Amino acid sequence: NLGRKLYARHGSQMEAAIDEMYQCCLNREPLPDEMRTLLSAHADLSHKASNPEAAMIATVRIVMNLDEFVTRN
């Protein structure tokens, strides 16, 4: 699972995790607005999730549900 791998590798260093997430899923770096949006979403998920790894997994799912990921050639 990508979320577990990113959490194991980056822990609470979310900017690094999001950078790698975008490289793995979209083959590019996140734009500044995308980074801010995902950092905010991850903070919200962290408050609601049972553990930090679950919040990371949920953040990865956000990226994997982007049209850019789903329709990637």
Side-chain angles (χ1 to χ4, degrees), residues 13-66:
Q13 297 175 331
M14 278 311 298
E15 288 190 16
I18 291 170
D19 279 335
E20 185 173 345
M21 194 181 303
Y22 263 70
Q23 287 296 333
C24 288
C25 295
L26 304 175
N27 201 31
R28 66 175 180 85
E29 294 180 6
L31 299 172
D33 284 345
E34 293 168 327
M35 178 65 78
R36 282 190 293 274
T37 299
L38 277 181
L39 287 171
S40 176
H42 181 76
D44 291 343
L45 292 165
S46 292
H47 292 338
K48 296 176 184 175
S50 58
N51 64 58
E53 186 179 89
M56 183 71 79
I57 291 168
T59 305
V60 170
R61 288 180 179 165
I62 291 170
V63 173
M64 289 181 159
N65 279 300
L66 294 173

